């Protein structure tokens, strides 16, 4: 090289390829969440926007990746269905959706609904459950159907709705669902009420040592503990929680029930704990007044464990309704009387003298 000639620069080493990003960057997520109204920020933050499984893309709705709604404007997103969520005390909803990288004509839509409390989340979850499902262990309970995933956890009800009944879509929904549920499920276990449930369900437990102090009655119960009070024998489906207008009566609300069958005869078993015996008696009297106004025949019975029990017949259907302590319970809508009466008598014997009231009142 001639003296004084410029020294050629070494070729710059090629920059390492950026790692592929699946979903939004942390900065993009922060920007999205900054636009969310404060009451919905917590549920919006549950939406998986970063580290999305490979092969899937988070997509925008208009100019946003995240949409949120409250009880007043939920109809803007799910017009025609919003009222059913309002009945279960919905307070907010967060939404986003995804599609395969190679196919933007199919998608999975993710809805997270925040309900008033765990009971109402469970109630809404149960009210939408179809017959053909596959149960899965997600949150406090879930199922898949046609490639979609539905579950509840704590006070949240989550839907991952797929446009394709395809294993690839189902696997993606399940992976995202587990991530969402991990953020929703309460960290502390529900209050224990084992002595009450053992008596109600007929389960046997080892006798406590003679020196053990008796346990006080639980002040509250989880949804599962209320459901465990309904007999398992003859039950045709999972128990559910109905918040209002039970059996068409506006005064009968927040009821736990399940469908039962014996032979060809079906009915609905139910129970509703109140704050005290007086309130339970008031509702029982309203029930009797209402059926009498409809032309029903009402006959008082006697049954072990029941403080008051009545057989009701009208237009070929039979109810047997009773009060035990602070709880109204029984069988509704049987096509013949004996199975309904047998069910109600057994339930009256099995129920505890007092059950924690729904919501404490």
């Amino acid at each position: 090289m001639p003296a004084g000639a410029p020294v050629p620069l070494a070729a710059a080493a090629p920059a390492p390829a950026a790692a592929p990003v699946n979903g939004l960057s942390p900065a993009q997520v922060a920007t999205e969440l900054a636009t969310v109204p404060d009451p919905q920020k917590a549920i919006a933050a549950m939406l998986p926007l970063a580290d999305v499984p490979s092969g899937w893309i988070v997509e925008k709705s208009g100019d946003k990746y995240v949409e949120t709604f409250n009880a007043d404007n939920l109809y803007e997103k799910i017009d025609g269905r919003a009222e059913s969520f309002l009945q279960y005390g919905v307070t907010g909803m967060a939404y986003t959706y995804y599609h395969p990288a190679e196919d933007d004509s199919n998608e999975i839509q993710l809805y997270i609904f925040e309900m008033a409390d765990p009971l109402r989340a469970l109630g809404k979850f149960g009210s939408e459950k179809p017959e053909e499902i596959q149960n899965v262990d997600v949150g406090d309970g879930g199922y898949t159907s046609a490639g979609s995933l539905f579950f509840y956890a704590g006070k949240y009800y989550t839907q991952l709705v797929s446009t394709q009944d395809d294993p690839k879509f189902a696997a993606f929904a399940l992976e995202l669902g587990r991530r969402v549920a991990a953020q929703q499920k309460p960290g502390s276990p529900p209050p224990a009420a084992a002595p009450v449930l053992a008596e109600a369900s007929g389960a046997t437990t080892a006798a406590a040592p003679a020196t053990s102090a008796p346990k006080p009655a639980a002040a509250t119960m989880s949804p599962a503990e209320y459901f465990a009070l309904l007999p398992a024998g003859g039950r045709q489906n999972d128990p559910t929680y109905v918040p209002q207008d039970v059996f068409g009566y506006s005064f009968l609300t927040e009821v736990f029930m399940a469908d039962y069958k014996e032979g060809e005869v079906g009915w609905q078993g139910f129970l509703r704990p109140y704050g005290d015996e007086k309130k339970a008696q008031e509702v029982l009297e309203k029930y009797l007044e209402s059926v009498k106004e409809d032309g029903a025949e009402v006959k008082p019975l006697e049954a072990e464990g029941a403080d008051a029990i009545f057989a009701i017949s009208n237009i070929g259907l039979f109810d047997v309704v009773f009060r035990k302590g602070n709880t109204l319970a029984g069988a509704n809508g049987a096509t013949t009387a004996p199975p309904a009466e047998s069910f109600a008598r057994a339930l009256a014997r099995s129920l505890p003298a007092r059950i924690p009231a729904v919501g404490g009142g």
Side-chain angles (χ1 to χ4, degrees):
M1 179 179 296
V7 178
L9 296 175
V21 175
N22 295 315
L24 308 188
S25 68
Q28 287 176 301
V29 173
T31 298
E32 284 290 320
L33 296 182
T35 66
V36 173
D38 287 344
Q40 280 79 56
K41 281 190 185 295
I43 51 174
M46 295 175 183
L47 298 170
L49 301 175
D51 297 323
V52 174
S54 178
W56 289 83
I57 292 175
V58 187
E59 193 54 90
K60 284 185 175 181
S61 298
D63 61 350
K64 294 182 178 181
Y65 290 99
V66 174
E67 293 184 88
T68 60
F69 302 86
N70 57 37
D72 294 330
N73 66 4
L74 184 61
Y75 70 91
E76 295 177 7
K77 189 65 179 178
I78 56 169
D79 193 18
R81 297 179 59 227
E83 182 61 34
S84 70
F85 281 87
L86 294 174
Q87 292 175 358
Y88 286 86
V90 66
T91 60
M93 188 268 278
Y95 169 89
T96 192
Y97 78 102
Y98 311 81
H99 65 76
E102 73 285 355
D103 178 12
D104 61 3
S105 64
N106 285 293
E107 61 195 36
I108 286 186
Q109 299 179 326
L110 171 54
Y111 302 81
I112 300 177
F113 295 91
E114 182 177 22
M115 313 304 288
D117 53 47
L119 264 181
R120 286 165 178 79
L122 172 58
K124 185 56 181 166
F125 165 81
S127 74
E128 298 197 331
K129 185 182 293 187
E131 292 185 3
E132 298 297 325
I133 64 168
Q134 179 179 347
N135 291 318
V136 292
D137 183 17
V138 181
D140 291 318
Y143 65 89
T144 61
S145 177
S148 300
L149 171 67
F150 304 84
F151 66 91
Y152 74 99
K155 63 177 181 178
Y156 304 99
Y157 172 40
T158 300
Q159 303 175 337
L160 289 112
V161 182
S162 173
T163 60
Q164 284 277 33
D165 185 0
D166 181 278
K168 173 183 175 179
F169 283 70
F172 176 77
L174 186 57
E175 182 171 347
L176 285 196
R178 293 194 192 282
R179 285 174 57 179
V180 173
Q183 300 178 74
Q184 296 174 343
K185 195 166 183 179
S188 56
V196 171
L197 292 180
E199 176 185 351
S201 64
T204 58
T205 56
T211 56
S212 297
K215 295 182 179 180
T220 60
M221 288 173 65
S222 70
E225 290 169 329
Y226 283 115
F227 288 153
L229 298 173
L230 290 166
R235 201 162 67 198
Q236 300 300 295
N237 55 6
D238 291 335
T240 190
Y241 163 83
V242 182
Q244 62 187 39
D245 297 331
V246 180
F247 309 137
Y249 301 127
S250 61
F251 58 83
L252 190 55
T253 63
E254 301 190 281
V255 170
F256 302 90
M257 66 169 60
D259 294 331
Y260 289 85
K261 193 171 185 180
E262 180 180 304
E264 298 300 316
V265 181
W267 66 91
Q268 291 179 301
F270 71 96
L271 63 90
R272 201 314 190 170
Y274 291 93
D276 54 35
E277 291 80 357
K278 180 180 178 182
K279 179 62 177 177
Q281 183 64 27
E282 288 176 358
V283 178
L284 173 60
E285 291 172 2
K286 285 183 180 179
Y287 193 108
L288 298 177
E289 290 171 6
S290 295
V291 297
K292 287 177 181 177
E293 289 174 0
D294 291 336
E297 179 183 351
V298 177
K299 176 184 176 182
L301 304 174
E302 292 187 1
E304 178 186 352
D307 296 306
I309 183 170
F310 297 88
I312 301 164
S313 60
N314 191 24
I315 59 171
L317 296 176
F318 301 87
D319 301 350
V320 180
V321 181
F322 67 89
R323 178 182 68 81
K324 181 172 184 177
N326 67 318
T327 300
L328 180 69
N332 176 272
T335 51
T336 61
E341 184 173 331
S342 176
F343 174 88
R345 288 181 181 277
L347 184 58
R349 290 193 299 270
S350 70
L351 288 180
R354 180 174 179 80
I355 301 171
V358 179

